[in-house]
Amino acid sequence: MSRSSTPWDEPDTDQHTPALPDAAEVFQPSESPDIMSSVDSARSQPEFVIADVSREDAWVSVDESDATVLEEWC
């Protein structure tokens, strides 16, 4: 999954639009999903990432400051 540029990132020089995945592949549930989360601080702005590591390109991210705190997990 391609990530759009943000003000602190280098501009995206790859201007082609990637092909959309096959619908059967997207909606096919994984036999045993493996969901993980982490804070990625490799960039100048830390991001909270949630990913299904059992599938290709199945992840979302938000700025760490925008992530919701789950108080019962703290």
Side-chain angles (χ1 to χ4, degrees):
M1 174 159 58
S2 178
R3 188 172 84 101
S4 63
S5 288
T6 54
W8 54 85
D9 290 336
E10 294 295 319
D12 187 4
T13 57
D14 185 11
Q15 297 297 320
H16 78 280
T17 303
L20 294 175
D22 180 33
E25 177 185 321
V26 172
F27 296 113
Q28 186 68 26
S30 176
E31 298 262 336
S32 60
D34 193 7
I35 310 298
M36 302 177 78
S37 67
S38 69
V39 174
D40 179 5
S41 58
R43 300 187 181 274
S44 60
Q45 183 84 13
E47 294 181 338
F48 179 66
V49 181
I50 300 173
D52 179 350
V53 296
S54 62
R55 295 179 50 196
E56 284 290 317
D57 297 328
W59 61 272
V60 293
S61 69
V62 296
D63 288 341
E64 181 186 25
S65 60
D66 294 334
T68 302
V69 175
L70 301 175
E71 300 212 7
E72 62 244 17
W73 288 13
C74 294

